[in-house]
Amino acid sequence: MTSERRLDLFGTDGVRGTANVHPMTADMALLLGRAVAHVFQRGGTTRHRIIIGKDTRLSGYMFEDALAAGICSMGVDVLQVGPMPTPGMAFLTADMRCDAGVMISASHNPYQDNGIKFFSRDGFKLPDEIERRIENLIGSGELDRSPASPDDIGRAKRIDDAAGRYVVFLKKTFPMDLTLDGVRVVLDCANGAAYQVGPTVLEELGAEVFCLGVDPNGRNINDGCGSLHPERTAAKVREVRADVGIALDGD
């Protein structure tokens, strides 16, 4: 009988904590990747795929690569899309018909924190019972008995058109008979995940966009900007006499 050790990794919004401190370590990310790949393999001969996105935190690169290594070690392929808003990852998981999706982000927290959130193939958050199964797999040691053979190791691939897919989807939600021509918008992207997608959508819909928080450096996400500091957006609205100001979260 396999023994299970309760880890209590998952909170209300995935696994979160300070980067490089348990549970947010590269070792744990690798184990999470192995476990989620094991859970979402459905059998058959079709290659399985899991998509990974992130915000702009410095530690995101470490967790992205660790998750990808764990997933590939179980014989599942990985699609890496880079910075992408959390709703975008939910959309892409379903749109690209992946078996699961992963978002690496700690939302409005400072850059020192990070988190890992999983999506089912329909783009929705994992049910509690699936999260418990992932925890139990990690705690039991069962994953050590089921790695892929050398011939079946998964492949990791970067997807260059993921942001474009999401931009097209967002634009389609806007009525075709309307336009943002002549509308002046201040958009603060918090130096976070939407720093590319956000301005692109509004500009392609015709708005004149005044951007803030679109110069991420790995450490400045949510730092004096975005939805935590709407006063900056408000000041810019007054300065440029914009019609509206929008302040986004880091994810």
Side-chain angles (χ1 to χ4, degrees), residues 3-239:
S3 62
E4 295 178 351
R5 179 166 57 91
R6 184 68 178 172
L7 299 176
D8 292 321
L9 294 174
F10 289 90
T12 57
D13 203 22
V15 182
R16 279 197 184 184
T18 302
N20 242 13
V21 177
H22 180 79
M24 286 306 300
T25 64
D27 290 342
M28 183 58 70
L30 187 142
L31 288 171
L32 285 166
R34 295 182 68 193
V36 76
H38 182 83
V39 166
F40 283 95
Q41 284 178 314
R42 302 190 310 277
T45 58
T46 303
R47 295 291 300 183
H48 300 285
R49 304 188 303 172
I50 293 177
I51 190 168
I52 301 177
K54 60 184 180 181
D55 64 22
T56 58
R57 294 164 205 271
L58 179 65
S59 59
Y61 295 93
M62 175 176 72
F63 294 124
E64 179 185 31
D65 288 344
L67 282 160
I71 293 167
C72 289
S73 75
M74 302 301 286
V76 175
D77 293 338
V78 172
L79 304 180
Q80 296 169 291
V81 304
M84 181 66 59
T86 297
M89 288 308 303
F91 163 75
L92 289 168
T93 300
D95 185 65
M96 299 187 73
R97 301 188 179 186
C98 294
D99 296 277
V102 188
M103 179 65 187
I104 304 168
S105 177
S107 189
H108 59 273
N109 289 22
Y111 85 91
Q112 294 93 339
D113 294 338
N114 217 329
I116 298 172
K117 179 191 302 184
F118 296 103
F119 300 100
S120 301
R121 61 181 313 190
D122 57 7
F124 288 92
K125 182 179 179 290
L126 293 187
D128 291 344
E129 59 268 25
I130 300 297
E131 291 183 345
R132 285 194 294 270
R133 185 178 173 194
I134 290 171
E135 288 188 353
N136 290 337
L137 279 169
I138 293 173
S140 69
E142 180 182 342
L143 296 170
D144 294 333
R145 296 189 291 274
S146 54
S149 70
D151 288 335
D152 293 328
I153 291 171
R155 296 182 179 182
K157 178 182 179 182
R158 291 219 168 259
I159 304 299
D160 296 327
D161 68 341
R165 283 174 177 254
Y166 188 45
V167 167
V168 170
F169 165 74
L170 291 174
K171 288 167 60 181
K172 285 183 177 178
T173 67
F174 195 81
M176 290 294 293
D177 59 336
L178 298 179
T179 178
L180 294 180
D181 286 347
V183 178
R184 295 161 65 87
V185 180
V186 172
L187 179 66
D188 189 340
C189 296
N191 293 312
Y195 82 99
Q196 294 174 313
V197 168
T200 299
V201 171
L202 294 174
E203 288 169 356
E204 292 190 6
L205 289 173
E208 181 181 4
V209 184
F210 300 86
C211 294
L212 300 172
V214 289
D215 298 297
N217 61 17
R219 293 181 170 87
N220 61 359
I221 186 171
N222 301 315
D223 185 11
C225 57
S227 59
L228 291 177
H229 298 275
E231 67 277 3
R232 187 170 90 143
T233 303
K236 190 67 174 179
V237 168
R238 292 191 295 268
E239 176 191 335

